[in-house]
Amino acid sequence: MDAIDVLRAKRDGRRLSPEQIRWIIGAYTDGSVPDEQMSALLMAVFFRGLSPDELVVWTQAMIDSGERKDLSSLGRPTADKHSTGGVGDKITLPLAPLVAACGVAVPQLSGRGLGHTGGTLDKLESIVGWRADVHEGAYLRQLREIGAVICAAGNDLAPADKKLYALRDVTGTVESIPLIASSIMSKKIAEGADALVLDVKTGSGAFMKDPDSSRELARTMVGLGQAAGVRTVALVTAMDRPLGRAAGNAVEVAESVEVLAGGGPADVVELTLALAREMLAGAGRSDVDPADALADGRAMDVWRRMIAAQGGDPGAPLPQPAEKHVVTAPATGTLTRLDAYALGVAAWRLGAGRARKEDSVSAAAGVVWTAGVGEQVTAGQPLLELHTDDPARIPRALEALEEAIGVDTGEVPLPLVIDRITA
Amino acid sequence: MDAIDVLRAKRDGRRLSPEQIRWIIGAYTDGSVPDEQMSALLMAVFFRGLSPDELVVWTQAMIDSGERKDLSSLGRPTADKHSTGGVGDKITLPLAPLVAACGVAVPQLSGRGLGHTGGTLDKLESIVGWRADVHEGAYLRQLREIGAVICAAGNDLAPADKKLYALRDVTGTVESIPLIASSIMSKKIAEGADALVLDVKTGSGAFMKDPDSSRELARTMVGLGQAAGVRTVALVTAMDRPLGRAAGNAVEVAESVEVLAGGGPADVVELTLALAREMLAGAGRSDVDPADALADGRAMDVWRRMIAAQGGDPGAPLPQPAEKHVVTAPATGTLTRLDAYALGVAAWRLGAGRARKEDSVSAAAGVVWTAGVGEQVTAGQPLLELHTDDPARIPRALEALEEAIGVDTGEVPLPLVIDRITA
């Protein structure tokens, strides 16, 4: 096999053979095909796409660069969720213990945030003592005994993706549906769950800005899941405004705990329950109503055990910011715009996110807000509260928020759940 | 400036600013933009192209990565020729001394062959003692005293091109008209000649297989030459069959000497004179008829002095092959096909060309033929003679020739000069 033949074939719009795909993914992972050839191929894929058949083989080759985990020894159904990322999207935090409380194990291998969307692990690390790294034996034991684990993925999980993702990041080849879909699905399939629910975000704060691209990504990923024998469903959900009332790290943990305690913002509760029902249905437990497990405290019990198992103290106070800055409502009327992207950038600039992989994040940084879209606000009332450890960060965060808030602008927010995509 | 912004702009079909182009060519040349980003950009250029304005800046940035030579101290007009490469294309060898004999200096910086087309320097190196490397001072002296020099380009001639070409070669981004045009023209413009004639080949043995793509490449290059203040004309010429009666190294030198002696195959003489007339016209000497300088031996005199100045013995016998193998005509009738690509591959496999840059070539290897397309042949007459130092190479050369010869097939060869492209 020769990388140039593969490159030319894709460049000229010819279909790659399964042998070609398996060879080039393997050879790139082991270093025998260099970055400059793979980046040219990725750009050719950006322009030419991958057919559904090519994409199934491509994704499988990425999975086969590592190991697909076998969770059958748990003796109970398993399900996981993946979100394409949004602002204030802390749903994994209440969802994993909730589904586990309903009898379905949740093996959630997660990542850190980059740019304006937060990372699940970054949020959980604001809990004193909590550790993202769980070794293989402890991982299976926690899944068996508690039913839920949220931790960092090991290096054996689709290592091809790790290398490809870093390359795409610097070569302008991130924004390609087959490349996004294979990146997400290779890791999620390798994780070994029986069922998978995808939360594909759409809107300013999401990777995909419009519902049609989000639907296309959802369909592509559902197809890949089904082809790999994982029962997969996707919900396309709104990310024109942020989820809940908080975006950041500790502030999102606090909100998640509110939801687990039976309270919390209505949208977070609604989406958590909708995704929990899909996970339970995928795992063959559609007879169970997750609302009960929220109401009676079982989900909270699993949360406490899950946090404690990874060294965290679920009762410890969360970090507080050195500085808070209030932004007031600009007018009286209905809040019709609270732009997700702007809030995400503001939280990021306050210290909640990172610009480069090697940066650290501030646990206390973030934004909380007192009203969501569709609600009444009064001119001058406190609307946003900016949290940061470094007051010098506030001006740039305020800059990001300049066009973020709209009152009575006539804008109509997207419904929370826009579409449901099945095989 | 950020490479990813440049990459994304081109990927998404936006025009690159002059600053962006100058920055990325410079940063790639000095190593601050890595190969994997440049290869992704080259693939994006493959798909999106470069506008005429972008291409002028891109080419100028490549020239500015080194130095544009100043030949004004020669005190006489200068002209050069570039061929996009073909089989049996030895035209540079008789052409340079011929034009010099007519009073126009020819500063021909040449390359080596790769693949099925031969390299001018490889051919000349079959002359005992001849050296391709000429240092700057000797180069100018030879141009002043003899009027013609054919030698290897130094590292200061468009160094961006050297790096870009090596990258394109391994990333499937060779076949792009703006990238081909900027590669050729950056070097030719930097060479410093007043006038330039481009011989753009078309047909099976050429890089461009059809006249329309060749015309497009010709127009693009003529535009770049004019934009840089070089009087540039292009001839689009036939490469469906090879030029002359020989393809290889020593065999092409022998044929060139025949032409300089007033003989040689009609097509080689015709094309040499046509290109010489364009070079002389471009240099303001359309009053001179190069046919006279061929007929009266002045061109041969310059040839001898030019070869001797670079250490060669123009009178020494040329290398002879260890083995010759004859291929006879398959039928009686008109020879209608003598496929340029097949003959080029055969000569290459006999040892005349190289597969990798670091390979050496055999001076004696090649193919000669006794009849050209349009001529009568008799079944069983010797038609091709394969020359090699290694008899084990003959079977693979014969394989390449399997479909190369056609008698009375009804194929109509292209006219030798298909089109003339001016600004």
Side-chain angles (χ1 to χ4, degrees), chain A residues 4 7-8 11-12 35-37 39-40 43-44 46-48 167 169-172 175, chain B residues 4 7-8 11-12 35-37 39-40 43-44 46-48 167 169-172 175:
Chain A
I4 301 178
L7 264 162
R8 284 201 184 126
R11 181 196 75 183
D12 296 342
D35 284 345
E36 60 269 27
Q37 290 188 320
S39 69
M43 189 58 88
F46 178 90
F47 282 97
R48 296 290 191 182
L167 185 64
D169 198 37
V170 297
T171 57
E175 300 87 347
Chain B
I4 300 178
L7 264 162
R8 284 202 184 125
R11 182 196 75 183
D12 296 342
D35 283 344
E36 60 269 26
Q37 291 188 318
S39 68
M43 189 59 87
F46 178 90
F47 282 98
R48 295 289 191 184
L167 185 64
D169 198 36
V170 297
T171 57
E175 298 88 346

Side-chain angles (χ1 to χ4, degrees), chain A residues 41 66 94 112 117 129 171 211 215 232 253 319 355-356 409:
Chain A
L41 179 61
R112 293 178 192 282
T117 62
T171 57
R215 281 189 187 94
T232 309
V253 171
R356 291 165 309 178
T409 56

Side-chain angles (χ1 to χ4, degrees), chain B residues 87-286:
Chain B
V87 177
D89 183 6
K90 70 282 296 173
I91 303 290
T92 294
L93 276 56
L95 180 65
L98 173 58
V99 171
C102 297
V104 171
V106 181
Q108 166 83 232
L109 299 175
S110 248
R112 294 178 191 283
L114 196 63
H116 76 279
T117 62
T120 296
L121 303 181
D122 295 327
K123 294 170 194 175
L124 285 167
E125 281 175 346
S126 63
I127 301 172
V128 174
W130 188 87
R131 295 181 308 266
D133 290 316
V134 177
H135 69 77
E136 184 73 18
Y139 172 81
L140 286 172
R141 193 166 59 244
Q142 185 172 333
L143 270 182
R144 195 171 290 120
E145 292 174 4
I146 303 170
V149 59
I150 304 175
C151 68
N155 289 328
D156 56 338
L157 195 82
D161 180 63
K162 192 161 259 178
K163 235 183 133 173
L164 281 169
Y165 194 86
L167 185 64
R168 287 167 57 207
D169 198 36
V170 297
T171 57
T173 50
V174 169
E175 298 88 346
S176 155
I177 284 183
L179 296 180
I180 296 167
S182 56
S183 171
I184 293 172
M185 294 304 288
S186 62
K187 286 177 294 194
K188 285 288 147 182
I189 294 165
E191 218 179 57
D194 303 323
L196 182 60
V197 178
L198 302 164
D199 182 2
V200 181
K201 301 292 188 195
T202 200
S204 77
F207 198 73
M208 297 281 163
K209 308 297 180 195
D210 66 282
D212 282 345
S213 326
S214 300
R215 281 190 187 93
E216 192 189 338
L217 176 60
R219 274 191 294 267
T220 305
M221 293 197 293
V222 167
L224 287 175
Q226 294 297 132
V230 180
R231 291 184 294 281
T232 310
V233 168
L235 298 185
V236 176
T237 72
M239 191 36 68
D240 51 341
R241 72 282 186 178
L243 267 169
R245 295 292 170 91
N249 294 310
V251 290
E252 293 201 38
V253 171
E255 189 173 281
S256 301
V257 171
E258 281 174 40
V259 171
L260 288 160
D267 58 346
V268 177
V269 175
E270 179 186 344
L271 189 54
T272 302
L273 287 173
L275 292 166
R277 289 192 178 103
E278 297 290 356
M279 288 168 75
L280 292 169
R285 299 300 308 270
S286 43

